[in-house]
Amino acid sequence: MTTPFHYDEAFSRNIGWITETEQQLLRTRRVAIAGLGGVGGSHLLTLTRLGIGRFHIADLDAFELANFNRQAGAFLSHLGRPKVEALEQLAREINPELEIRTFPQGVTRENLGHFLDGVDLYVDGLDFFALDIRRAVFAACAEKGIPAVTAAPLGMGVALLNFLPSGMTFEEYFRLEGQPEDEQLLRFLLGLSPAMLQMPYLVDDSRVDLEAHKGPSTPMACELCAGVAATQALKILLRRGKVIAAPRGLHFDAYRNRLKITWRPGGNRNPLQRLGLKIARGRLSEKKGKKPVPERPAPDTPIERILDLARWAPSGDNTQPWKFEVLDERRFLVHAHDTRDWCVYDLDGHASQIAVGALLETIAIAATGEGMEADFRLLPDCPETAPVIEVSLKEKAGVVESPLLPYIRVRTTQRRPFETTPLSPAQKQALEAAVGEGFGVRWIESPRARWQMAKLLFRSAKIRLTIPEAYEVHKRIIEWDAQFSTDRIPDQAVGLDPATLKLMKWVMQSWKRVRFMNRWLAGTLAPRLQLDLVPGYRCAAHFLILAHRPPETLEEWFAAGRALQRFWLTATRLGLQLQPEMTPLIFSRYTKESVNFTSESKALGLARAVTNALEGMVGREGVHQGVFLGRVGVGRLPAARSLRRAVRRLQVS
Ligand SMILES: Cc1cc2nc3c(=O)[nH]c(=O)nc-3n(C[C@H](O)[C@H](O)[C@H](O)COP(=O)(O)O)c2cc1C
């Protein structure tokens, strides 16, 4: 069969922006691309569509799964296949007449001469961290008079630098010679993007790991790079006039809607760059103390997958009061415990029991993803403080995957203010249905009622912040200077602004400081405003989950936890944020049951007042039947959150 390909027709739609003559000229041009990963693969395909007729492509890697978020040639059918081979084929699918020379060993000092032989333009696609060979390639380009383009994907934008034969060289600009690796990487990064437009929206800096040569990336940035680099290629190859070249650079950030043309005469020797480097070095040494994120092996049996999801169940203060013991392929034990021995919010164990219930519900939902049903049996003769639940999984025809399954990993606690847009009748109905039989929902939603609740929370918070018993808990469960925490709550997820957080960190180093602040400097005011009063009003509604028959047994408390988890996951599915507000309910229960939860008599009095106020709002029955109190509303996902211990750390053998 003859190929239906005709160069002129295939690229005819370029004509208009370029002339027919220019198109024919591009057909004769030879472009070298080193690296066919995030940007290199897109460069090759974009330049091929531009009609460039000859390429030298180099890469020594094969495709792997971690390439899928951004690399043009990353497809399931290419897994394990050399990148040069896969991309050569993709490019030939666009233009079968291409003349392509491949360098499957990547560019090396040995083949550099060959790689750049007869080349009109070099487009850089090398890995960010491959600095040695990059320096060699750019030096060789300068020597041979080959223009070189580098377009770096940064965040959701592109930073462009061109090095032209008549201008500043790569080495003159970046000044990497003789520097240690970390310093070279910093100089390269800051040289590429003096404006650093991407930094304000880096939401998880633990993923930048210079030591392991890993950094986060986006597909959008790679596509932007290909567009920008090919435009430079067009201008340079067709001599369309001036292009920006080092020491000038261009940085476009699509996320921030910003474009900057930077000018750094002297490159990294420029005083502005030197200042930027100093700041960056400080940040890097701070970061070096932090642990990098370990790689997680993918779970590969049904039980492993179920446990991997189940551990995302919520628990008070992220205590995760459970361990798992796998018995066989279809059975495991949940060894639970409560935290009454150290946690003032859990003196009767009910907070932990609710969390265990949430865990069981999560297991049940996760099991549906495996086509299974989970059965639970509380083992007899376990102490109430350390119940053991046997979980049996059964494959069953007709098990339908729960619509809540995709939300297990999305659900989280948001402690910052929400929008005040009311819940729609459909949203309320879905949430009421979610708690299931035996439970109901009471809404506290009018602006007046929310304001009343905000004031109640404000009062209740005073108890939390002035009793030594709670101080001990908070000291134990807050991880300071953290955006994420696997076994506690990171301070940045608590809901305070950075200045108040700093003060709190200092104050909380000793009970003496806390007392002093509280007594003389109204120390509870700022946190109570930010954590209770404002968010207490700024939400769609507060909710109280009621048990028609107040729970008494462990199993009844587990059932309450299961209802809560269905409610929370449903809220997540509806795009709502949620925060539990359990302390008023807990203090009311203590008051009703005459539990002396603190040595501070003033706080006991305050708890009585909070109980009365809560009864005033939801009635005596409401307090008696209430198992969970919280607020919901439309809001952003939090940037900081509690994570979980790894399954292997939660497992007993
Ligand atoms: C029984 C229970 C009580 C909780 N009480 C509160 C609370 O009073 N205030 C709060 O902000 N979060 C509360 N939480 C939320 C937990 O702190 C949170 O679920 C945990 O830190 C895990 O974080 P994540 O929900 O973001 O995954 C509670 C959670 C549970 C299960």
Side-chain angles (χ1 to χ4, degrees):
M1 198 179 95
T2 55
T3 74
F5 182 81
H6 297 286
Y7 180 94
D8 290 354
E9 195 180 333
F11 304 115
S12 59
R13 296 294 290 273
N14 290 333
I15 311 303
W17 297 115
I18 57 177
T19 66
E20 292 204 15
T21 315
E22 284 176 325
Q23 183 72 77
Q24 293 308 316
L25 181 66
L26 290 179
R27 190 177 186 176
T28 67
R29 299 291 89 176
R30 188 181 298 274
V31 174
I33 305 172
L36 296 170
V39 290
S42 296
H43 287 330
L44 176 66
L45 301 186
T46 306
L47 290 168
T48 300
R49 293 195 192 281
L50 183 60
I52 302 288
R54 297 170 179 148
F55 290 101
H56 292 182
I57 55 174
D59 199 303
L60 47 71
D61 271 342
F63 279 109
E64 50 187 75
L65 216 47
N67 303 146
F68 275 43
N69 78 317
R70 67 197 186 286
Q71 301 198 7
F75 297 103
L76 280 179
S77 55
H78 289 166
L79 274 178
R81 208 166 157 206
K83 290 182 182 175
V84 270
E85 197 186 294
L87 275 144
E88 179 187 4
Q89 190 187 348
L90 285 174
R92 285 195 193 286
E93 296 259 338
I94 299 168
N95 179 358
E97 294 169 358
L98 279 182
E99 194 187 308
I100 305 186
R101 200 178 299 165
T102 59
F103 294 77
Q105 274 82 40
V107 218
T108 60
R109 285 177 193 277
E110 290 67 45
N111 68 18
L112 194 47
H114 234 54
F115 179 67
L116 293 177
D117 187 30
V119 159
D120 299 296
L121 176 76
Y122 169 66
V123 181
D124 188 23
L126 287 167
D127 187 288
F128 177 83
F129 296 94
L131 286 183
D132 273 355
I133 193 63
R134 176 179 273 113
R135 289 173 64 200
V137 177
F138 276 90
C141 287
E143 208 172 284
K144 291 175 184 281
I146 300 171
V149 176
T150 173
L154 296 174
M156 300 178 216
V158 47
L160 167 84
L161 273 178
N162 290 325
F163 293 94
L164 302 181
S166 54
M168 198 173 198
T169 66
F170 184 90
E171 189 53 43
E172 284 164 350
Y173 182 83
F174 285 107
R175 306 199 160 264
L176 306 183
E177 180 72 37
Q179 299 299 328
E181 193 193 21
D182 275 2
E183 177 67 20
Q184 287 198 18
L185 291 170
L186 282 188
R187 287 184 180 209
F188 185 51
L189 178 64
L190 208 69
L192 277 173
S193 80
M196 279 291 189
L197 295 178
Q198 73 281 12
M199 288 315 282
Y201 60 89
L202 176 65
V203 290
D204 178 358
D205 77 348
S206 67
R207 300 300 165 132
V208 181
D209 187 351
L210 293 192
E211 268 167 74
H213 287 187
K214 277 200 177 137
S217 58
T218 68
M220 300 81 84
C222 294
E223 297 301 317
L224 285 168
C225 284
V228 169
T231 307
Q232 306 306 306
L234 179 150
K235 289 179 75 178
I236 293 169
L237 294 173
L238 299 179
R239 303 195 182 283
R240 283 286 198 94
K242 240 177 117 154
V243 291
I244 287 176
R248 285 192 162 80
L250 176 154
H251 191 164
F252 169 65
D253 191 286
Y255 185 90
R256 294 183 66 200
N257 306 318
R258 289 184 67 183
L259 173 71
K260 277 240 172 199
I261 309 283
T262 51
W263 183 43
R264 293 291 185 272
N268 276 334
R269 217 175 42 187
N270 187 289
L272 272 178
Q273 287 300 96
R274 284 205 275 201
L275 180 67
L277 281 167
K278 204 170 156 187
I279 297 169
R281 276 182 214 119
R283 291 223 181 116
L284 183 66
S285 66
E286 261 173 42
K287 214 177 132 41
K288 277 203 156 164
K290 295 191 183 166
K291 296 171 280 189
V293 183
E295 296 279 329
R296 284 191 305 139
D300 58 11
T301 65
I303 285 199
E304 277 174 18
R305 283 192 292 269
I306 290 169
L307 293 181
D308 195 42
L309 279 173
R311 72 200 169 102
W312 289 95
S315 54
D317 297 330
N318 201 21
T319 45
Q320 303 161 62
W322 44 65
K323 292 262 179 188
F324 307 121
E325 182 184 352
V326 177
L327 300 177
D328 57 40
E329 279 185 0
R330 291 290 178 264
R331 282 181 319 135
F332 62 93
L333 299 179
V334 174
H335 295 270
H337 64 89
D338 66 36
T339 57
R340 69 181 78 191
D341 53 334
W342 62 271
C343 182
V344 67
Y345 306 121
D346 196 25
L347 297 178
D348 47 18
H350 297 332
S352 290
Q353 291 150 14
I354 290 177
V356 172
L359 174 81
L360 301 185
E361 184 63 25
T362 316
I363 291 171
I365 294 170
T368 67
E370 303 291 332
M372 293 180 178
E373 212 173 65
D375 258 6
F376 303 107
R377 185 171 71 93
L378 178 64
L379 298 193
D381 305 327
C382 302
E384 189 197 61
T385 55
V388 179
I389 300 111
E390 185 187 57
V391 183
S392 312
L393 300 166
K394 289 196 186 86
E395 262 145 47
K396 229 174 153 180
V399 170
V400 184
E401 186 175 298
S402 165
L404 299 178
L405 180 73
Y407 300 95
I408 292 174
R409 296 279 311 268
V410 188
R411 184 216 55 78
T412 184
T413 304
Q414 172 57 289
R415 299 185 177 86
R416 295 188 190 270
F418 307 154
E419 289 171 25
T420 51
T421 319
L423 298 178
S424 69
Q427 286 174 325
K428 282 167 69 176
Q429 212 173 26
L431 289 164
E432 284 162 15
V435 292
E437 224 170 281
F439 295 92
V441 182
R442 175 83 53 87
W443 299 104
I444 298 141
E445 55 184 334
S446 71
R448 204 165 150 256
R450 292 201 319 273
W451 177 237
Q452 251 185 317
M453 188 53 131
K455 285 192 296 185
L456 183 148
L457 288 160
F458 186 72
R459 284 169 95 184
S460 168
K462 189 152 187 180
I463 308 175
R464 228 176 49 215
L465 296 171
T466 56
I467 61 174
E469 294 83 358
Y471 166 74
E472 291 302 328
V473 173
H474 299 160
K475 226 169 66 169
R476 180 164 170 168
I477 57 102
I478 296 178
E479 181 165 341
W480 293 105
D481 302 317
Q483 185 182 2
F484 303 106
S485 173
T486 52
D487 54 4
R488 282 164 287 165
I489 299 180
D491 60 343
Q492 291 165 26
V494 164
L496 290 172
D497 68 54
T500 315
L501 209 52
K502 262 207 169 114
L503 180 68
M504 281 269 288
K505 181 182 174 190
W506 181 82
V507 171
M508 280 188 58
Q509 274 168 27
S510 81
W511 175 239
K512 249 168 83 182
R513 285 186 194 171
V514 176
R515 280 213 104 128
F516 180 83
M517 277 293 288
N518 287 350
R519 183 163 305 165
W520 304 107
L521 299 171
T524 67
L525 197 62
R528 284 196 296 149
L529 282 173
Q530 286 181 44
L531 300 183
D532 299 275
L533 196 70
V534 175
Y537 182 74
R538 293 267 311 271
C539 59
H542 298 266
F543 63 88
L544 180 65
I545 300 180
L546 303 160
H548 297 323
R549 215 167 57 93
E552 282 169 12
T553 65
L554 274 176
E555 274 140 322
E556 285 166 354
W557 280 103
F558 294 162
R562 295 190 67 166
L564 158 73
Q565 179 68 336
R566 286 192 299 270
F567 182 91
W568 202 336
L569 290 173
T570 305
T572 309
R573 187 181 178 207
L574 294 170
L576 300 169
Q577 300 297 321
L578 186 150
Q579 180 189 9
E581 299 164 319
M582 286 298 281
T583 47
L585 201 57
I586 292 169
F587 293 141
S588 298
R589 210 164 52 228
Y590 290 166
T591 303
K592 290 275 182 202
E593 290 167 13
S594 308
V595 177
N596 272 331
F597 62 93
T598 175
S599 53
E600 297 277 322
S601 53
K602 252 193 188 165
L604 291 173
L606 205 49
R608 279 193 293 277
V610 166
T611 310
N612 290 338
L614 193 59
E615 284 184 349
M617 292 185 72
V618 299
R620 272 176 162 239
E621 268 317 285
V623 174
H624 186 54
Q625 296 180 328
V627 290
F628 209 89
L629 181 65
R631 62 187 186 104
V632 282
V634 173
R636 282 181 178 209
L637 272 174
R641 65 160 302 175
S642 299
L643 303 178
R644 299 296 187 270
R645 295 187 181 99
V647 172
R648 117 188 93 71
R649 285 190 53 208
L650 288 169
Q651 236 165 315
V652 287
S653 43

